[in-house]
Amino acid sequence: MEGVIIGPERITMPATSVKASASSRTNQKHQPESNRQVEAERPTAVALTILYGTETGNAQQLAEQAAEQAQQRGLSARAIDMANYKPRELKAERLLMIVTATHGEGDPPEPAQPFHEFLHSRKAPALKHLRFAVLSLGDSSYEHFCQTGKDFDAQLETLGGTRLADRVDCDVDYEDAAEAWIEQSLARFAEIVEREPELRQGATPAVASEPAQAREAPAYDKKNPFPAEILENVRLTGRGSAKETRHVELSLEGSGLRFEPGDILCLAPRNRPEVVDALLAATGFSASELVDTRSGRMSLAEALAREYEITTLTPPFLKAYAQCGGHASLQALLEPSNREKLNDYIWGRHVIDVIEQFPVPDLEPRGFVEMLRRLPAREYSIASSFEANPDEVHLTVAAVRYHSHGRDRHGVASTYLADLTEPGTQIPVYVKPNKTFKLPADPDTPIIMIGPGTGVAPFRAFMQHREYDEARGRNWLFFGEQRFRTDFLYQTEWQAWLKQRLLHRIDLAFSRDQSQKVYVQDRMLERSRELFAWLEEGAHVYVCGDADRMAPDVHRALETIVHREGGVSAERATEYVKNLQREKRYQRDVY
Amino acid sequence: MSDNDTDYGNLSQPLDQLHPNERGKVKSNYLRGTIAEGLTGPVTGAISEADNNLTKFHGIYMQDDRDLRDERRRQKLEPAYQFMIRLRMPAGVCTPEQWLKLDELARTHANGTLRITTRQTFQFHGVLKGDLKPTMQGIHQALLDTIAACGDDNRGVVASANPHQSALHKQMHELAKQVSNHLRPQTRAYHEIWLDEQRVATSDDDNVEPIYGKTYLPRKFKIGFAAPPTNDVDIFSQDLGFIAIADEAGELAGFNVCVGGGMGRTDNDDRTYPRLADVIGFCRPDQVVDVAEKIVTIQRDHGNRVDRSQARMKYTIDRFGLDWFKAELANRLGNALEPARDYTFTHNGDRYGWVQGEGGNWHYTLFIENGRVRDRDDLPLMTGLRELARIHTGEFRLTCNQNLIIANVSEQARSDVDVLLKQYRLHNTTHHSALRLNSMACVAFPTCGLAMAESERYLPSLIGKLETVMEEAGLADDAITVRMSGCPNGCSRPYIAEIGFTGRGPGKYNVYLGGGFQGQRLNRLYLENVGEEKILDALTPLIHQYARQRLPGEPFGDFVIREGIVREVTTGKDFNT
Ligand code: SRM
Ligand SMILES: Cc1cc2nc3c(=O)[nH]c(=O)nc-3n(C[C@H](O)[C@H](O)[C@H](O)COP(=O)(O)OP(=O)(O)OC[C@H]3O[C@@H](n4cnc5c(N)ncnc54)[C@H](O)[C@@H]3O)c2cc1C
Ligand SMILES: Cc1cc2nc3c(=O)[nH]c(=O)nc-3n(C[C@H](O)[C@H](O)[C@H](O)COP(=O)(O)O)c2cc1C
Ligand code: SF4
């Protein structure tokens, strides 16, 4: 069934009568692609948006009826499922009607859950200019009668909206009450449009952000990072996955920070308290002893927590430490001829392992911290488009956790982020522009994105941006991970882009789903003819993710493809790929 | 036909005015659709909605793990799509070899359990898209299939598991197979998609489905055979039931025919209701297949194809009237059915433990709680049954009460079976109360897409609480049928239970009382949308009152009606009044 958009421009009616299909709905509840509503693109001017939340179709039917009646009153209106509504449009709405059922134990209908969550999250915008009215459907034999309607009604007011008509809570025999309410509230909407004719023009385009405040804000940079608040932190990898990859959203509100797709976010992590404690215990230093650091004087504990790298071993630290302790075997390890042995020694060991293995009795706190290097900021590819998600920055973070030499180890920044689940915590961040990883200037240029694992992060930003820009160039993603069921990062978003035909191709390589391992480069080779055709048509190629193995393998795959499909010698193929790089049509961001 | 009845089923109506599923069937090219292509799509673990409607005809149902639904939505992962596969196993009979194969498939391609259903067949749950084909081929290797186990067609034909009368069971099993085969969809789609059969082009497209045609039936259709005095198949819940009648010599004379049973209803929609079948006459064994076909064609031609909630044959009959139905049947058969004969049912539950059949062989009826065959730490059921299948030389029979009969065990082999039953702690009766042995729950969470409340995972604990009440009332050895369904569809046939529950929302149920112990009477709504506390508060005094005031031998269902606790329901239409 098609959704209904009723406005000056177009009227689409459902193909079947509402009644006939309502009876089949119970069977469709868990379908992946609901065929209930395929909203067409938004007509230019719609005065009234009617959002509905439904599971079994009642609210939808009422919303559509209301849209039709609004139209009869000369008020352009659209009825749209909350599931398909882009929350960022909300800021621009002026007149809003909500018709919603309640399900579960006072929970929103399943398709409406993301919108409900959004509205109650700290991402919800201020709605000072909004006029709204809520109709709720429910069943009074449930404890939480019409709870979802109540939620929306209260929350829209909390966010600054003005209630145009009082909410009515309808029981299972909702027809008459609902009809009367629709009649009355539409009258109120019509009245207000009469008084404020500019409302007839409908919602103004979404404003990117609260501009005044943002522009005046101080520019934050490396020296002066912005304390960004955590908005959201969810694990992307499903149960049973060997990976812990997370989606982290941070707020940039008030920072004035901006970025482009492809840019990097740098952040200053803290070392884990238990690591600091262990180190203090191993050295016997007092936590409260004051030390001077580049950021000023502070307690040793605080300095170890935020100023110094106290886990990862570096050869300079080992050198300084060996010198001060005079441990012969450690010194021997540092001989240039023992490079490999040194590497083996460092792998999987941290500062504390050295201190325990080679104690230095008269070690001084001040001398010790001088051997350590500053805790460097960690870099993460930004996974969101600023324009699409103003004032936010999203990251895709693989938590580094492993066990070695008898200890559980935690990557400093990735697990700091991963474990920060308390919303509101602040992390110092700044933006690092990435000139060599940029979308083509021409929005019509096709792009090929190769990003297994967390390498997919910037491509989410690319897609968001191209969607926002309405760029017409074709997009092709190669993604890989271990397992389809648990590790398909941002699966539902890629599916939605495919469905919207914004993503034209996707090729997936899940290495552990079959007996032989399959990687992105294998998929590229399988698609070599087409890939070459895209290159010939001027496509840009982007590679992001693992630098050690993936990037070189992909590079070789590109050369092979040109060699094979272009019918040229291996040397010419190498030259062709080099040329792509020179022309900046082949860009990499690997780590 | 009465005046104001529209013939919704009449296919001369334009297709676009019928329910969209009807168009789906016509467009499907006899149940092929794009199933084969969808199986290889790498971006989703799902198949398309249109194909999902078609795979049902192949016994396959797309589901998702509802325990994970919300979590995965937040994780930006699609629902954990997986499939349920239901077997077609007329009369619920399988061999030990088949058991072993199914057991292996369950462990390699499904969630490591087998589920015995209320229509005496097996279901696999949790089969991933990529495992579908290997599983289907494995089923084929076991000489079984899943054709029409779901879908708008004649479903699995059930028959009384009947351990006593071995000869009669054999006859009914044979008839169940005949009816099932006769009414099986004839399209080769199943063999092409799942078994890689080459497609043969035919010019005679219109004759692919001689009975069904391109649109199959308006809705599911269910047939059963019962052998009085046992009504273990709940014959009155079937669209079409055959009740075995013996002649003076004790041989099978034929069957009473009953029509128009069904359980499914929808909350707050009074046009929907459970209904018990009406007995309309008698037929000889050699007429059974023909009678079944003609009744199916009546429903094919007159069932509602616009509104699926009104499409079952029970509504067709109530819309047109029973007299019309009988006349229509006589018309199609060329003669009217003979008058129905006398019969008596005494119970609709199973009789547990060892029973000796007429031929001298033994049969052991084993209680399987809610039909779920799985290994638990305290009960290695699946392993035990696997070991049993390795030594068993008879057959297995599943019952419509979700239990298992180890059938046709010779006198000598009995002790071997006993040893294994003991070794794996499977002996029923010593472990379970009569209440539990007469309880049954549908699947519901986490696999069933329609579940509103827990059922299979919850009933055992509720029964535990009710057992305490029964003991206190001095009824520890008394049976009351208790059935729970996670939604009003009623897959555990809760509307004929003495105490029935249907799910309304998480932890909330409607409570029904007064169903017939012989499966002969619907129950009535007693409490609406209540949680465990209210359920126990209400049932405790009733059970005590029953203990004190029941007449000798009076079942609980009869008692609550005699005492006026609920009003008797006499017809389906009366259910909502
Ligand atoms: C497995 C089983 C319950 C059990 O615990 O054993 C079952 C399970 C389901 N039934 Fe059923 N039904 C099962 C016997 C029944 C029965 C009992 C019977 O037939 O004796 C009924 C009531 C009788 C009847 O048909 O009226 C029954 C009435 C329904 C209905 C309601 C039909 C209606 O007319 O309203 C649905 C929903 C539907 O068809 O729309 C349904 C649908 C379903 C589905 C397929 C859910 C769905 O449509 O998405 C359930 C799958 C759950 C799962 O995860 O396995 N099931 N279902 C039974 C399988 C029987 C078999 O082997 O074929
Ligand atoms: C340009 C750029 C973009 C990046 N984008 C992303 C991104 O989008 N997402 C993302 O998750 N990361 C990204 N990274 C990587 C990120 O910056 C960090 O390096 C990563 O998160 C690890 O940092 P950490 O502080 O958690 O770990 P550290 O505390 O820095 O520890 C990491 C070190 O632990 C050691 N180690 C790891 N595993 C083992 C093991 N099993 N056995 C022994 N030793 C081990 C290795 O020596 C490794 O270098 C990017 C890096 C760059 C340079
Ligand atoms: C499983 C389930 C749970 C429900 N839970 C509630 C509830 O907690 N509170 C309530 O007021 N209504 C509840 N309802 C009733 C619905 O809100 C009501 O049926 C409504 O008309 C459905 O509208 P829809 O068709 O738009 O989904 C529930 C319904 C179902 C099926
Ligand atoms: S009764 Fe409802 S919840 Fe239970 S299996 Fe049937 S459809 Fe699912």
Side-chain angles (χ1 to χ4, degrees):
Chain A
M1 239 180 69
E2 289 252 309
V4 191
I5 294 199
I6 296 177
E9 285 82 11
R10 47 182 303 177
I11 300 184
T12 334
M13 283 301 289
T16 14
S17 83
V18 171
K19 270 224 180 74
S21 45
S23 60
S24 67
R25 287 239 171 75
T26 42
N27 279 337
Q28 300 175 349
K29 243 177 152 175
H30 60 295
Q31 301 300 343
E33 323 161 53
S34 159
N35 70 346
R36 286 191 220 155
Q37 61 310 97
V38 185
E39 267 88 16
E41 61 303 350
R42 185 169 180 185
T44 41
V46 169
L48 172 63
T49 292
I50 305 175
L51 290 178
Y52 58 85
T54 189
E55 265 188 41
T56 50
N58 296 339
Q60 176 184 13
Q61 189 233 321
L62 288 172
E64 286 169 359
Q65 180 189 330
E68 214 166 316
Q69 291 182 15
Q71 170 70 9
Q72 283 157 12
R73 288 175 175 276
L75 194 64
S76 60
R78 58 170 178 165
I80 177 165
D81 191 330
M82 291 180 190
N84 297 349
Y85 183 70
K86 293 243 167 8
R88 83 178 102 90
E89 286 185 35
L90 190 60
K91 263 189 197 171
E93 300 289 357
R94 292 297 170 261
L95 303 179
L96 179 70
M97 182 185 279
I98 283 187
V99 183
T100 184
T102 296
H103 283 265
E105 279 173 290
D107 304 319
E110 212 164 88
Q113 275 170 15
F115 180 72
H116 183 265
E117 239 169 58
F118 166 81
L119 206 68
H120 289 81
S121 74
R122 52 180 67 229
K123 292 160 76 171
L127 298 173
K128 284 196 280 296
H129 306 292
L130 184 76
R131 263 65 164 245
F132 72 92
V134 177
L135 177 64
S136 55
L137 302 188
D139 176 340
S140 60
S141 70
Y142 287 90
E143 188 180 339
H144 304 283
F145 178 50
C146 284
Q147 188 57 45
T148 304
K150 292 175 186 166
D151 293 348
F152 280 127
D153 195 40
Q155 185 62 7
L156 288 173
E157 184 168 51
T158 308
L159 293 171
T162 310
R163 186 176 294 105
L164 264 196
D166 282 340
R167 188 188 73 248
V168 164
D169 295 334
C170 302
D171 211 339
V172 286
D173 51 348
Y174 58 83
E175 288 85 355
D176 293 347
E179 199 127 309
W181 182 91
I182 289 172
E183 199 54 46
Q184 277 168 17
S185 52
L186 284 179
R188 300 297 317 271
F189 278 111
E191 221 174 274
I192 201 117
V193 170
E194 196 79 357
R195 257 188 283 135
E196 302 173 33
E198 68 277 9
L199 287 176
R200 199 175 289 282
Q201 298 315 310
T204 40
V207 273
S209 59
E210 298 286 303
Q213 191 192 353
R215 299 262 155 71
E216 284 156 24
Y220 292 96
D221 57 15
K222 187 167 181 172
K223 288 202 200 73
N224 179 26
F226 173 74
E229 208 174 277
I230 290 250
L231 294 174
E232 193 170 313
N233 179 354
V234 289
R235 185 173 165 153
L236 291 171
T237 42
R239 282 194 202 193
S241 173
K243 299 284 184 80
E244 179 190 346
T245 303
R246 308 190 72 98
H247 174 74
V248 177
E249 298 186 2
L250 301 167
S251 169
L252 294 181
E253 201 174 330
S255 70
L257 287 174
R258 294 195 68 118
F259 52 83
E260 289 177 16
D263 287 351
I264 303 285
L265 190 81
C266 301
L267 56 89
R270 288 177 71 92
N271 285 304
R272 304 170 84 80
E274 72 266 22
V275 173
V276 172
D277 291 347
L279 199 58
L280 287 170
T283 53
F285 296 156
S286 144
S288 54
E289 176 150 359
L290 293 180
V291 289
D292 288 314
T293 74
R294 261 185 259 187
S295 319
R297 179 169 288 202
M298 63 187 77
S299 74
L300 179 61
E302 179 64 10
L304 291 178
R306 61 171 238 226
E307 295 295 319
Y308 299 103
E309 181 106 76
I310 60 169
T311 49
T312 299
L313 281 176
T314 60
F317 168 81
L318 283 173
K319 251 177 221 144
Y321 188 81
Q323 240 161 34
C324 122
H327 288 284
S329 60
L330 194 53
Q331 268 163 341
L333 201 58
L334 288 156
E335 294 297 321
S337 57
N338 279 337
R339 245 213 112 73
E340 226 159 277
K341 273 195 192 149
L342 179 67
N343 283 345
D344 284 351
Y345 179 78
I346 287 179
W347 182 248
R349 282 199 175 80
H350 284 171
V351 170
I352 188 158
D353 301 278
V354 177
I355 290 174
E356 285 180 354
Q357 195 180 348
F358 305 103
V360 177
D362 47 359
L363 193 62
E364 282 282 322
R366 241 151 277 167
F368 173 67
V369 296
E370 268 162 27
M371 295 178 211
L372 298 169
R373 70 167 179 187
R374 275 186 71 111
L375 185 59
R378 264 47 168 192
E379 304 186 353
Y380 293 91
S381 312
I382 292 176
S384 59
S385 145
F386 185 85
E387 282 72 19
N389 302 276
D391 286 345
E392 287 177 15
V393 57
H394 302 180
L395 306 177
T396 314
V397 180
V400 174
R401 301 187 206 267
Y402 57 96
H403 189 89
S404 64
H405 302 290
R407 277 199 173 85
D408 287 331
R409 318 268 172 176
H410 306 266
V412 178
S414 60
T415 63
Y416 176 67
L417 273 172
D419 297 343
L420 271 188
T421 41
E422 192 68 26
T425 317
Q426 294 179 337
I427 306 177
V429 304
Y430 58 93
V431 171
K432 183 175 137 192
N434 194 3
K435 294 250 153 42
T436 58
F437 204 71
K438 282 278 152 298
L439 275 168
D442 180 355
D444 289 349
T445 305
I447 61 173
I448 300 170
M449 302 169 278
I450 303 157
T454 53
V456 83
F459 302 135
R460 181 173 181 265
F462 277 20
M463 288 301 297
Q464 286 189 350
H465 197 80
R466 288 200 131 192
E467 178 179 16
Y468 180 85
D469 254 8
E470 294 174 10
R472 292 206 318 262
R474 287 172 302 153
N475 305 302
W476 184 352
L477 176 76
F478 286 89
F479 175 77
E481 251 295 355
Q482 289 187 348
R483 291 183 197 281
F484 166 80
R485 198 164 168 89
T486 54
D487 304 335
F488 190 170
L489 307 181
Y490 302 107
Q491 178 183 27
T492 51
E493 298 186 0
W494 299 113
Q495 288 176 340
W497 280 318
L498 270 172
K499 214 167 131 192
Q500 294 169 45
R501 297 184 196 286
L502 247 132
L503 182 63
H504 300 79
R505 285 208 69 124
I506 185 166
D507 281 283
L508 301 165
F510 292 102
S511 58
R512 310 229 170 146
D513 279 348
Q514 58 285 307
S515 45
Q516 316 129 280
K517 301 229 164 139
V518 180
Y519 298 106
V520 279
Q521 61 270 21
D522 303 316
R523 294 288 184 238
M524 291 169 65
L525 290 167
E526 282 167 26
R527 304 262 175 254
S528 64
R529 169 156 315 167
E530 226 177 325
L531 208 152
F532 184 67
W534 279 51
L535 290 180
E536 288 288 275
E537 287 162 34
H540 286 208
V541 182
Y542 301 87
V543 181
C544 182
D546 175 56
D548 290 346
R549 276 189 290 168
M550 184 275 291
D553 288 348
V554 164
H555 188 88
R556 269 190 297 279
L558 277 176
E559 289 176 345
T560 308
I561 287 166
V562 173
H563 172 53
R564 192 196 284 167
E565 302 298 337
V568 294
S569 68
E571 295 74 41
R572 289 286 302 278
T574 308
E575 190 52 31
Y576 183 106
V577 173
K578 272 215 182 94
N579 228 359
L580 287 177
Q581 279 176 306
R582 273 196 290 272
E583 290 170 7
K584 302 215 160 63
R585 282 179 50 204
Y586 170 25
Q587 305 187 352
R588 306 203 296 182
D589 186 20
V590 296
Y591 46 88
Chain B
M1 201 200 304
S2 65
D3 315 326
N4 55 354
D5 282 327
T6 336
D7 198 346
Y8 294 110
N10 192 333
L11 276 171
S12 58
Q13 280 196 77
L15 194 58
D16 62 3
Q17 282 171 26
L18 301 180
H19 189 278
N21 283 21
E22 297 297 317
R23 255 171 288 149
K25 287 181 255 182
V26 170
K27 280 200 312 203
S28 76
N29 186 14
Y30 293 104
L31 312 181
R32 288 178 180 86
T34 54
I35 297 173
E37 294 83 336
L39 290 177
T40 55
V43 181
T44 172
I47 56 174
S48 76
E49 193 175 323
D51 286 339
N52 183 29
N53 277 333
L54 299 176
T55 56
K56 293 177 190 173
F57 290 79
H58 304 249
I60 298 173
Y61 235 95
M62 183 164 74
Q63 307 183 316
D64 73 286
D65 184 337
R66 295 185 62 185
D67 286 347
L68 302 184
R69 205 186 265 182
D70 201 47
E71 172 178 310
R72 287 180 63 98
R73 177 177 64 74
R74 287 166 210 276
Q75 294 184 309
K76 304 178 197 292
L77 291 170
E78 69 178 12
Y81 289 112
Q82 53 183 39
F83 295 80
M84 178 267 274
I85 303 179
R86 185 184 288 162
L87 268 73
R88 183 177 72 104
M89 232 164 61
V93 178
C94 77
T95 65
E97 295 74 41
Q98 287 172 331
W99 181 287
L100 288 172
K101 182 72 192 176
L102 298 179
D103 169 273
E104 180 199 320
L105 290 171
R107 287 178 294 123
T108 49
H109 294 300
N111 69 354
T113 76
L114 281 169
R115 179 61 156 69
I116 300 175
T117 73
T118 56
R119 295 189 69 75
Q120 61 184 177
T121 186
F122 291 107
Q123 283 182 185
F124 296 106
H125 285 112
V127 180
L128 301 186
K129 189 164 81 170
D131 284 305
L132 277 175
K133 251 177 115 158
T135 312
M136 296 295 274
Q137 296 184 349
I139 292 168
H140 181 68
Q141 283 157 19
L143 306 179
L144 289 165
D145 65 63
T146 67
I147 298 173
C150 320
D152 298 339
D153 43 31
N154 174 51
R155 301 287 188 90
V157 178
V158 297
S160 176
N162 195 351
H164 308 265
Q165 300 149 281
S166 306
L168 178 59
H169 180 265
K170 208 163 175 184
Q171 281 172 299
M172 292 207 308
H173 180 198
E174 202 39 54
L175 280 171
K177 272 200 287 201
Q178 281 177 25
V179 169
S180 177
N181 286 339
H182 186 71
L183 296 174
R184 187 180 51 179
Q186 298 298 306
T187 167
R188 299 306 289 177
Y190 182 93
H191 307 79
E192 291 163 19
I193 296 169
W194 309 110
L195 309 176
D196 296 327
E197 181 181 283
Q198 280 301 316
R199 175 112 195 247
V200 192
T202 71
S203 50
D204 198 11
D205 198 40
D206 284 344
N207 265 340
V208 171
E209 295 289 7
I211 296 180
Y212 291 124
K214 281 184 204 274
T215 48
Y216 294 84
L217 294 182
R219 201 77 162 77
K220 57 177 69 160
F221 193 91
K222 297 178 173 179
I223 299 180
F225 289 82
T230 306
N231 189 16
D232 56 348
V233 298
D234 270 327
I235 200 71
F236 302 113
S237 73
Q238 313 288 331
D239 290 274
L240 167 59
F242 292 99
I243 302 167
I245 305 289
D247 60 19
E248 289 86 63
E251 299 292 315
L252 178 67
F255 297 91
N256 278 354
V257 177
C258 63
V259 293
M263 292 283 103
R265 51 175 284 278
T266 307
D267 291 320
N268 300 318
D269 183 352
D270 285 355
R271 298 171 312 142
T272 65
Y273 47 83
R275 186 185 189 284
L276 295 188
D278 298 298
V279 177
I280 55 168
F282 172 88
C283 73
R284 291 187 319 273
D286 63 346
Q287 293 175 303
V288 161
V289 171
D290 195 33
V291 167
E293 177 190 312
K294 295 302 182 297
I295 288 178
V296 162
T297 62
I298 296 178
Q299 164 66 357
R300 175 197 67 194
D301 298 340
H302 297 284
N304 187 328
R305 288 185 190 258
V306 175
D307 181 349
R308 286 180 69 84
S309 82
Q310 293 295 303
R312 291 294 293 274
M313 193 168 79
K314 60 183 176 182
Y315 301 118
T316 313
I317 290 177
D318 276 352
R319 202 147 31 87
F320 292 96
L322 203 57
D323 290 340
W324 169 86
F325 189 89
K326 286 190 219 170
E328 183 68 28
L329 178 60
N331 207 6
R332 291 183 188 223
L333 284 172
N335 57 279
L337 294 176
E338 288 173 38
R341 306 195 181 169
D342 288 342
Y343 63 93
T344 314
F345 286 125
T346 56
H347 60 94
N348 64 354
D350 288 338
R351 290 292 172 262
Y352 294 97
W354 285 113
V355 158
Q356 191 167 27
E358 301 146 341
N361 274 347
W362 289 85
H363 313 278
Y364 188 88
T365 305
L366 180 64
F367 173 65
I368 310 275
E369 191 156 41
N370 301 328
R372 185 66 69 177
V373 178
R374 64 135 56 97
D375 278 343
R376 284 195 333 222
D377 290 345
D378 57 338
L379 189 69
L381 178 59
M382 196 164 183
T383 305
L385 292 176
R386 180 162 59 247
E387 293 310 317
L388 222 150
R390 291 212 168 105
I391 64 148
H392 184 36
T393 51
E395 68 203 16
F396 288 108
R397 291 182 203 161
L398 312 188
T399 83
C400 290
N401 288 305
Q402 303 171 323
N403 294 315
L404 175 68
I405 300 181
I406 304 156
N408 279 324
V409 179
S410 65
E411 181 71 49
Q412 308 88 283
R414 237 186 97 175
S415 57
D416 296 341
V417 171
D418 269 330
V419 166
L420 285 178
L421 287 176
K422 205 172 236 153
Q423 182 181 342
Y424 292 97
R425 301 195 288 283
L426 307 184
H427 271 292
N428 318 302
T429 29
T430 44
H431 294 293
H432 301 297
S433 67
L435 189 72
R436 194 175 295 271
L437 293 171
N438 278 280
S439 71
M440 176 154 97
C442 76
V443 178
F445 285 98
T447 54
C448 179
L450 305 180
M452 297 180 186
E454 293 285 350
S455 184
E456 180 186 321
R457 297 195 296 195
Y458 168 58
L459 185 66
S461 92
L462 181 65
I463 291 286
K465 289 171 184 161
L466 289 173
E467 275 168 345
T468 315
V469 179
M470 292 286 280
E471 272 164 39
E472 282 163 7
L475 299 177
D477 298 327
D478 289 77
I480 297 179
T481 52
V482 180
R483 294 175 177 179
M484 176 173 277
S485 282
C487 83
N489 284 322
C491 294
S492 61
R493 300 184 293 271
Y495 306 112
I496 2 188
E498 294 183 286
I499 304 178
F501 299 98
T502 62
R504 293 298 304 275
K508 295 287 189 319
Y509 299 86
N510 282 359
V511 183
Y512 303 83
L513 297 180
F517 192 73
Q518 299 97 39
Q520 83 288 15
R521 181 179 61 234
L522 293 170
N523 50 22
R524 187 180 290 282
L525 180 65
Y526 181 61
L527 290 174
E528 199 176 355
N529 213 346
V530 293
E532 181 174 272
E533 213 182 296
K534 290 216 173 104
I535 290 172
L536 292 174
D537 283 353
L539 292 182
T540 303
L542 285 182
I543 289 171
H544 282 278
Q545 190 187 347
Y546 172 58
R548 286 191 310 269
Q549 298 172 7
R550 64 176 165 172
L551 306 175
E554 185 180 34
F556 183 73
D558 295 355
F559 169 79
V560 290
I561 287 171
R562 183 174 57 75
E563 281 293 320
I565 292 158
V566 291
R567 229 164 5 98
E568 178 175 4
V569 173
T570 49
T571 65
K573 279 183 165 166
D574 179 35
F575 186 84
N576 289 321
T577 57

